[in-house]
């Protein structure tokens, strides 16, 4: 019912910027949260930033002041502007979409396939 696709990853030098985009195509239900996660080699997937109807905006401490998340609710698009990138930001970035079919009890998740971000020092 929901398809998710990320774009915008790539190779950038330390201190540089990248903008990730996520397109969510939904046929049934409504989206209540969208967010970005990342997974570096040998590490667990972690939350980077998210926007939800009920809780507003969240940023991981490691990206506060450098990353900005934004959402276009009409187009079901999600963006992540990443500035002052560091080598520690190197990871595969995944877009997460939380949606519900008929109400909170029917909430489920959809993930994109991920986009690689590599920051060279």
């Amino acid at each position: 019912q929901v398809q998710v696709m990320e774009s915008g990853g790539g190779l950038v030098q330390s201190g540089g910027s990248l903008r990730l985009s996520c397109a969510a195509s939904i046929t049934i239900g409504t989206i209540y949260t969208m967010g970005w996660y990342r997974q570096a080699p040998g590490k667990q997937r972690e939350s980077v930033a998210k926007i939800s109807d009920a809780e507003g905006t969240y940023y991981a401490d490691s990206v506060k002041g450098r990353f900005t998340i934004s959402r276009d609710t009409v187009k079901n698009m999600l963006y992540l502007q990443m500035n002052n990138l560091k080598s520690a930001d190197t990871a595969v970035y995944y877009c997460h979409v939380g949606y519900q079919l008929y109400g909170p009890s029917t909430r489920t998740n959809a993930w994109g396939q991920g986009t690689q971000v590599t920051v060279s020092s």
Side-chain angles (χ1 to χ4, degrees), residues 45-65:
R45 189 175 297 189
E46 63 175 356
S47 177
V48 175
K50 60 184 177 181
I51 296 178
S52 67
D53 296 340
E55 300 175 0
T57 303
Y58 159 86
Y59 291 97
D61 288 342
S62 59
V63 306
K64 282 181 181 177

Side-chain angles (χ1 to χ4, degrees), residues 31-90:
I31 295 172
Y32 66 90
T33 187
M34 296 183 77
W36 292 97
Y37 288 71
R38 67 186 180 187
Q39 187 167 18
K43 295 187 177 181
Q44 289 187 333
R45 189 175 297 189
E46 63 175 356
S47 177
V48 175
K50 60 184 177 181
I51 296 178
S52 67
D53 296 340
E55 300 175 0
T57 303
Y58 159 86
Y59 291 97
D61 288 342
S62 59
V63 306
K64 282 181 181 177
R66 301 188 297 121
F67 290 12
T68 302
I69 190 171
S70 59
R71 177 182 170 186
D72 184 330
T73 56
V74 174
K75 297 180 179 179
N76 283 333
M77 293 289 297
L78 185 71
Y79 305 96
L80 186 67
Q81 178 65 44
M82 304 185 293
N83 298 328
N84 190 21
L85 282 160
K86 306 175 181 180
S87 57
D89 296 316
T90 295

Side-chain angles (χ1 to χ4, degrees), residues 94-111:
Y94 297 90
C95 180
H96 167 259
V97 175
Y99 68 101
Q100 57 191 34
L101 299 178
Y102 306 112
S105 64
T106 63
R107 288 183 172 181
T108 188
N109 303 298
W111 295 88

